[in-house]
Every structure is written in structure tokens, then in C-alpha cells.
Amino acid sequence: MIVQAINNVCAKAPAGVDMYTDLLLSWVKYGVGVVIIAAGFISVGALVVGKLGSMSRAAQLGASGLIYAVLAAVGYVTIYGILSAIVGNC
């Protein structure tokens, strides 16, 4: 039995499906980015309204939401970089 090395194994979509997978992945990628940005703006708005309107609970939720939005953005960039490093460009 001869064991040969397997080099450059890349996952590829079946023929004719490339356009749809690229479209789906781009919608997911930009959709998640939009959700993170919207969450950041909503959190800043809640923080400002809570501070100006003397609503401490709204300000607290806005501050924690802003922290979660920043953490989600960092995780988004990190996970995307890790997946790009693993999969690579074939």
C-alpha cells in the first residue's frame, strides 16, 4: 500500500452553483455588518436618550449594547480572518 500526500485540497461548489453561493455569502457578510452597525447606532441613541431624559435603565442598556456591538465587530473581523486563513484562496 502506497500512501501519497494530499496537497491543496480546496472545497469547491458544484458546477453552476458558484454564482448562488457567492451571492448568498455576500448577503450574509454584509447583512451581519449592517446589523452590527445598526446595533451600535441604536445603543448610542439609547445611551444619549437615557442620559438626557434621566432614565438610568435606558442609559445602562445603551452602554451595554454598545459594548456588545463593539465585541461583535471584533469577533466578526476575527472570525472572518481565521476562516480566510484556514480555507485560503484556491
Side-chain angles (χ1 to χ4, degrees):
M1 179 185 289
I2 298 173
V3 178
Q4 296 178 355
I6 300 173
N7 294 326
N8 296 331
V9 176
C10 294
K12 295 212 181 251
V17 183
D18 291 337
M19 181 181 68
Y20 300 112
T21 56
D22 290 343
L23 182 66
L24 178 67
L25 289 176
S26 65
W27 275 99
V28 169
K29 178 181 172 183
Y30 290 111
V32 170
V34 167
V35 168
I36 291 172
I37 291 170
F41 280 124
I42 291 169
S43 296
V44 167
L47 186 63
V48 169
V49 168
K51 287 291 186 183
L52 293 178
S54 297
M55 295 181 278
S56 62
R57 184 68 179 153
Q60 183 182 16
L61 289 175
S64 61
L66 188 60
I67 291 170
Y68 290 140
V70 169
L71 290 176
V74 169
Y76 177 68
V77 171
T78 304
I79 291 171
Y80 182 73
I82 289 171
L83 289 177
S84 294
I86 291 172
V87 175
N89 294 329
C90 297

